């Protein structure tokens, strides 16, 4: 090992990751969990050569420094992309708006991206219209709503108490989300409204990039925020806030980040898109295979090149070990999931439709779109199904799923227009 490498925590974490990974690689779903230990599978991959070879082999894939970028980083740096004839350069981005713009111009081939942002681009909301493609879900769960230490000191530790506090009047509280149509905005708005707080009129909302949330709360720029891990845990670690709710308490096994690109990219590079999904699926299965794999992944992404946060802050909630900053601890069976089965990764049409119902609810779009048609255009179920089948993974028989959210409302995609209109609190 060179002196330079010995002082480089990113290189060291990657080296240790590989050592641990090769030692503990097992079998998941009948396929070797780590590509580097299975050269035979590499050679037998259905899309590795010939007419099915990737049209574009060298890809630049964006990510925002959040725990749920893990599968992108693992695929890019640990051999999973190479297995399918790809070379991925992971590109650390400063904001979701920057990701949107670079996907639009083609500077990024694909990205770890907010689910709702893909649909707002498709509809021309919060930016220029661009036909977009959701290749797969990257994860479910794993976000949180954080309230400030000052609110705690004022006796506010939950949503109901927050509603009482707000009704007293005074200077409106400020809440931050990461993009106006993104997942964090939708979770924040849903949670506030479920407690009788109208996010459009009772509070002020602002947009802040994920890595800047904790610093902004520290200086008093907001009273609460919704963001992905590890920044909720980091607020507790720094003693500036507490977790009021996790997003899986709002919607258990909710859709979160996706692998997104322009539809033009898929149309021009169908084999590449399929190979990219296979690489990310393999990386996701590896992460989920054991707690040891999760710990190794946490060490990898903690480096400055990726999330740039203490390993412990990332690892605990990654493993499902939660504390809220109020003295409560628990293990969460709905912690961030990357690939328990294809249900996590399948690009459900109903998930895409749900985000559009919330756009309508909050006045981000004025008319009901053709929910099912738009979702069928955006979510690339055919590409995903081909990739999953090549890996021997079962594909869900339906493109729709149903869920009951925190307020008891059932979402199954059967009547999205009526669902959007059914909420007592809306724009």
């Amino acid at each position: 090992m060179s002196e330079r490498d010995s002082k480089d925590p990113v290189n060291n974490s990657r080296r240790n990751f590989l050592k641990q990974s090769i030692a503990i690689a097992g079998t998941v779903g009948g396929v070797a969990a780590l590509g580097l230990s299975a050269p035979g599978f590499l050679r037998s991959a259905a899309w590795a050569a010939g007419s099915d070879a990737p049209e574009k082999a060298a890809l630049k894939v964006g990510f925002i420094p959040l725990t749920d970028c893990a599968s992108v980083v693992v695929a890019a740096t640990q051999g999973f992309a190479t297995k399918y004839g790809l070379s991925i350069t992971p590109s650390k981005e400063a904001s979701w708006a920057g990701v949107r713009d670079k996907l639009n111009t083609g500077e990024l081939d694909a990205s770890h991206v907010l689910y709702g942002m893909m649909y707002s681009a498709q509809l021309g909301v919060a930016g220029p219209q661009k036909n977009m493609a959701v290749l797969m879900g990257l994860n479910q769960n794993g976000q949180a709503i954080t309230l400030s230490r000052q609110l705690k000191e004022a006796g506010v530790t939950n949503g109901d108490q927050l509603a009482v506090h707000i009704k007293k009047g005074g200077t409106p509280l400020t809440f931050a989300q990461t993009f106006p149509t993104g997942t964090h905005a939708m979770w924040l708005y849903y949670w506030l409204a479920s407690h009788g707080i109208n996010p459009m009129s009772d509070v002020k909302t602002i947009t802040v990039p994920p890595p800047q949330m904790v610093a902004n709360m520290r200086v008093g720029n907001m009273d609460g925020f919704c963001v992905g891990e590890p920044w909720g845990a980091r607020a507790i670690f720094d003693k500036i806030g507490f977790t009021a709710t996790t997003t899986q308490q709002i919607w258990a096994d909710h859709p979160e980040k996706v692998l997104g690109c322009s539809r033009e990219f898929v149309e021009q590079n169908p084999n590449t898109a399929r190979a990219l999904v296979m690489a990310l699926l393999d990386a996701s299965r590896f992460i989920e295979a054991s707690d040891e794999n999760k710990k190794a992944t946490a060490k990898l992404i903690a480096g400055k090149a990726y999330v740039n946060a203490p390993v412990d802050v990332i690892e605990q909630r990654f493993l499902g070990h939660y504390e809220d900053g109020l003295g409560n601890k628990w293990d969460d069976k709905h912690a961030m999931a990357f690939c328990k089965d294809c249900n996590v990764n399948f690009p459900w049409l109903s998930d895409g439709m749900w985000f559009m119902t919330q756009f309508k609810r909050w006045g981000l779009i004025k008319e009901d779109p053709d929910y099912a048609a738009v979702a069928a255009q955006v979510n690339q179920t055919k590409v995903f199904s081909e990739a999953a089948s090549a890996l021997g993974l079962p594909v869900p028989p339906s493109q729709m799923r149903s869920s009951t959210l925190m307020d008891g409302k059932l979402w199954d995609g059967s009547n999205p227009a009526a669902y959007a209109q059914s909420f007592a609190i809306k724009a």
Side-chain angles (χ1 to χ4, degrees):
M1 182 189 303
S2 69
E3 181 180 355
R4 184 192 67 180
D5 284 350
S6 68
K7 295 179 180 179
D8 185 341
V10 176
N11 283 340
N12 281 337
S13 66
R14 287 174 59 185
R15 188 177 298 105
N16 291 336
F17 182 101
L18 281 169
K19 287 178 180 177
Q20 288 190 52
S21 300
I22 292 170
I24 61 179
T27 298
V28 183
V31 179
L34 182 62
L36 295 177
S37 66
F41 180 64
L42 188 160
R43 290 191 295 270
S44 66
W47 320 109
S51 62
D52 289 319
E55 299 86 356
K56 184 175 184 180
L59 302 178
K60 187 176 181 181
V61 179
F63 71 92
I64 292 287
L66 292 160
T67 302
D68 51 30
C69 77
S71 53
V72 170
V73 175
V74 169
T77 65
Q78 306 304 320
F80 293 100
T82 306
K83 181 174 172 180
Y84 301 105
L86 300 176
S87 171
I88 296 175
T89 299
S91 179
K92 187 175 182 177
E93 302 298 327
S95 69
W96 290 119
V99 169
R100 174 201 61 198
D101 294 343
K102 290 181 180 182
L103 285 175
N104 285 354
T105 62
E107 185 175 342
L108 290 174
D109 295 300
S111 188
H112 156 254
V113 67
L114 296 164
Y115 211 139
M117 198 176 89
M118 300 300 288
Y119 274 83
S120 63
Q122 180 69 32
L123 297 173
V125 180
Q129 193 281 331
K130 179 79 171 181
N131 290 338
M132 303 304 285
V134 169
L135 296 175
M136 63 180 285
L138 292 180
N139 69 292
Q140 292 177 344
N141 307 323
Q143 324 297 298
I145 294 176
T146 298
L147 299 183
S148 69
R149 184 185 68 248
Q150 289 79 7
L151 280 174
K152 176 183 173 183
E153 292 169 351
V156 175
T157 59
N158 58 48
D160 289 339
Q161 291 169 346
L162 179 65
V164 172
H165 183 81
I166 288 172
K167 285 179 170 59
K168 291 178 180 177
T171 304
L173 299 182
T174 298
F175 288 82
Q177 36 75 18
T178 64
F179 191 79
T181 58
T183 52
H184 304 121
M186 298 304 106
W187 310 141
L188 176 64
Y189 297 170
Y190 204 100
W191 182 75
L192 289 171
S194 294
H195 291 286
I197 303 165
N198 191 321
M200 302 293 122
S201 57
D202 294 338
V203 299
K204 178 182 177 182
T205 60
I206 59 175
T207 300
V208 175
Q212 299 176 24
M213 285 292 190
V214 174
N216 274 273
M217 180 171 275
R218 183 179 290 111
V219 299
N221 287 343
M222 82 273 279
D223 302 286
F225 62 74
C226 183
V227 72
E229 295 301 346
W231 306 115
R234 184 62 190 261
I236 296 170
F237 183 83
D238 289 355
K239 301 187 185 327
I240 66 164
F242 64 94
T243 297
T245 187
T246 63
T247 52
Q248 51 265 35
Q249 291 171 311
I250 298 171
W251 177 356
D253 297 331
H254 65 76
E256 186 48 46
K257 306 302 187 302
V258 296
L259 180 64
C261 61
S262 69
R263 200 176 320 154
E264 179 183 27
F265 179 84
V266 178
E267 292 169 350
Q268 293 179 356
N269 305 283
N271 296 342
T272 300
R274 185 171 52 229
L276 184 57
V277 172
M278 293 173 74
L280 268 291
L281 276 173
D282 257 4
S284 299
R285 287 191 296 164
F286 172 75
I287 293 168
E288 286 287 353
S290 70
D291 282 352
E292 290 305 311
N293 289 23
K294 290 182 180 180
K295 290 176 182 178
T297 301
K299 290 177 182 176
L300 173 66
I301 67 174
K304 289 184 179 179
Y306 307 119
V307 179
N308 191 23
V311 173
D312 285 348
V313 171
I314 296 172
E315 182 181 283
Q316 290 308 300
R317 290 191 172 189
F318 204 172
L319 293 170
H321 306 324
Y322 277 75
E323 59 179 289
D324 61 6
L326 299 170
N328 303 307
K329 295 184 179 181
W330 68 98
D331 286 336
D332 193 340
K333 67 178 181 178
H334 293 290
M336 187 180 294
F338 290 89
C339 192
K340 291 178 180 176
D341 51 43
C342 270
N343 287 337
V344 172
N345 307 110
F346 187 75
W348 303 92
L349 299 189
S350 52
D351 286 355
M353 292 163 64
W354 184 87
F355 286 102
M356 290 187 283
T357 70
Q358 300 308 292
F359 296 171
K360 179 64 170 61
R361 176 186 183 182
W362 300 121
L364 298 170
I365 53 177
K366 301 304 179 185
E367 303 295 333
D368 287 299
D370 187 334
Y371 292 95
V374 174
Q377 291 170 351
V378 175
N379 287 21
Q380 303 298 301
T381 56
K382 181 175 183 291
V383 172
F384 179 88
S385 296
E386 289 176 349
S389 296
L391 294 176
L393 294 173
V395 177
S398 172
Q399 297 184 349
M400 309 287 278
R401 67 177 182 134
S402 62
S403 304
T404 301
L405 279 67
M406 64 175 292
D407 54 3
K409 280 187 174 293
L410 174 69
W411 166 248
D412 61 9
S414 61
N415 194 340
Y419 179 84
Q421 187 61 30
S422 69
F423 295 93
I425 295 179
K426 50 184 179 288

